[in-house]
Amino acid sequence: MKLRDLTSALYRPMISGDLNTEISGLAYDSRKVKPGVIFAAIRGVKTDGHDFISQALISGASAILAETAPPSLSATPWIHVPDARAALAKLASNFFQDPSSQMLVGAVTGTNGKTTTACLLHHLLNAAYIRCGLIGTLHYDLGGEIREATHTTPDSLELQELLAAMLANGCRAVAMEASSHALHQHRIDGVKVNAAIFTNLTQDHLDYHGTMEEYFAQKAKLFEATAAQPDAKLIINADDKWGRRLISQYENHPGLRRYGFSMGSEYHASDARCETTGSTFELEHKGRSFLVRVPLIGMFNVYNSLAAIAAAHSMGCNFRESVTSMSKAPQVPGRMERITERERFQVFVDYAHTPDGLINALSSARALRPSRIITVFGCGGDRDRTKRPLMARAVEEGSDISILTSDNPRSEDPKQIMEDARKGYAKSSYTLIEDRRQAILAAIKNASDGDLVLIAGKGHETYQEIMGVKHPFDDRKIARGYLNQRKEEWR
């Protein structure tokens, strides 16, 4: 592809050099540069790509994309733009032949529920014989080919490459998570979204965004971009206060679709019931009522199911068939994942790592009417410190026994993280066990008949990150191992 054609997607860039230069690739890592490649100088949190332009030129870069003007003697074509991240997203889409325009794209954003909603949407689309890819926290499904997820929403260059691979594999749709970081960093700018889904907004990522208003503003960008697409659908939780703010911004948009228990929602739920094997609720749409069964527990999964059904319907799936298919939805790894089967007490592993996430998980656990709830949780390092005491308070209020432990301390001292969280306790009836393995063991050892053990924070993760090193660690495997030991005791 010639440089002239590739840069046609940009709005009035300042380009110097030969526009007929042949381009065979893009890179924002100077180590991946070779002749034929455009090097994009991206400003990051820790490094600035502009510092590596000279290295890219030595490696033979055929063009430079930067936020600075070219040096006076530069012979290499130079693309001067105000925002290199935004420009790279458009270049990447152009380079991979705009794959999202040839598929249906459902993008989910919000604090909690993104992963489950995206997985449920993926399931419903596939069940409707609309072959669907998946991009999110768990993994990337390229239409039968599974890749490990590097980010919830990958960088624009990788994202466009994934979309192109899905298209080549016969995918007609993609369900993807859209994180606030990705929206802020323009990773999704080159993606044409058909259905934007908003789950909720609660405190998280304030270490990055600073305030809830700014956090919301980044989430809202997905809807601003989607609303401009022909026949776009905006699927918003009408029961969430931030969702209602979003609804007020688009109340005259023809594609607005509300879901929730609020009257007036186009997808209206009622009579929700949760049991150990799943949840049921009545779903009313356009005067028709359907009983929905989903093999996931918790009121929050009722909302996730509502969002997925609404999105699938907006993307062309038969409504009645989606309701039927929901009963066959797979377990989402690490999302209120039941570890026990016929043991004397129950053990669940959940990804809850925010105050609201813990409140939701614990209220779902309490709805199962256990004798006691024993909760193991920790707080992640290098993340919003202000939510740590709020997490402890949520666990104290929702549990009978609370065990505070380490999560992913990353570069922080686990003891300091636990001390930050400990300040949220109003009583002294909690236990501190820094070693997460020992904390899980203590919870299972203390569990009696009829109890419920909730292991929160890491969910599907198979590692624990300590001082930049990821050590193998899976809450589910460790819990199953200790449960097997208890089974020996019961025999």
Side-chain angles (χ1 to χ4, degrees), residues 177-377:
E177 297 180 51
S179 69
S180 57
H181 290 67
L183 290 162
H184 178 252
Q185 295 172 9
H186 301 283
R187 300 181 204 170
I188 309 175
D189 279 16
V191 179
K192 293 179 174 61
V193 176
N194 304 95
I197 303 104
F198 180 85
T199 59
N200 51 66
L201 199 75
T202 60
Q203 183 174 334
D204 200 12
H205 304 304
L206 297 191
D207 55 308
Y208 183 86
H209 297 295
T211 66
M212 287 297 292
E213 287 291 337
E214 180 60 22
Y215 184 26
F216 173 71
Q218 297 309 318
K219 295 289 189 184
K221 284 182 177 179
L222 175 64
F223 294 83
E224 180 181 351
T226 303
Q229 299 297 323
D231 300 319
K233 299 296 186 293
L234 311 177
I235 300 161
I236 303 173
N237 181 355
D239 295 346
D240 181 82
K241 69 174 184 179
W242 296 96
R244 289 192 291 273
R245 277 186 57 174
L246 203 54
I247 287 169
S248 69
Q249 295 177 25
Y250 295 100
E251 57 187 355
N252 296 320
H253 191 283
L256 175 63
R257 301 290 185 271
R258 294 161 293 183
Y259 70 91
F261 288 78
S262 300
M263 296 304 295
S265 295
E266 286 80 4
Y267 298 87
H268 176 251
S270 62
D271 197 23
R273 300 181 182 183
C274 301
E275 302 294 340
T276 56
T277 56
S279 306
T280 62
F281 61 95
E282 292 289 336
L283 172 55
E284 184 179 337
H285 177 66
K286 291 187 175 179
R288 297 180 297 168
S289 185
F290 301 84
L291 177 64
V292 181
R293 301 179 187 276
V294 58
L296 306 175
I297 72 165
M299 186 60 70
F300 58 93
N301 276 321
V302 170
Y303 279 100
N304 295 335
S305 302
L306 271 172
I309 291 172
H313 189 213
S314 298
M315 295 170 71
C317 293
N318 178 277
F319 185 77
R320 184 184 294 274
E321 291 176 0
S322 288
V323 168
T324 301
S325 298
M326 188 60 76
S327 65
K328 302 174 185 176
Q331 167 70 58
V332 181
R335 271 62 181 175
M336 284 306 282
E337 183 175 353
R338 190 177 180 181
I339 304 303
T340 48
E341 291 183 6
R342 297 178 181 175
E343 282 79 3
R344 299 178 182 180
F345 54 83
Q346 300 177 71
V347 179
F348 287 89
V349 169
D350 191 71
Y351 192 54
H353 58 281
T354 66
D356 190 69
L358 285 163
I359 290 170
N360 288 336
L362 287 164
S363 63
S364 298
R366 187 64 69 186
L368 300 179
R369 299 178 293 279
S371 300
R372 298 180 303 171
I373 294 177
I374 303 171
T375 303
V376 178
F377 84 106

Side-chain angles (χ1 to χ4, degrees), residues 1-63:
M1 181 180 286
K2 295 191 181 299
L3 182 61
R4 181 191 311 279
D5 299 323
L6 186 62
T7 55
S8 63
L10 302 181
Y11 177 69
R12 300 178 67 178
M14 298 178 64
I15 306 177
S16 60
D18 185 2
L19 289 175
N20 290 316
T21 300
E22 199 67 34
I23 301 300
S24 59
L26 304 167
Y28 54 84
D29 184 338
S30 62
R31 294 167 295 185
K32 296 181 180 179
V33 171
K34 58 184 178 181
V37 170
I38 293 179
F39 173 66
I42 303 297
R43 299 187 192 277
V45 176
K46 296 181 179 179
T47 60
D48 186 345
H50 292 78
D51 296 335
F52 298 90
I53 290 176
S54 58
Q55 181 58 52
L57 291 170
I58 292 172
S59 297
S62 291

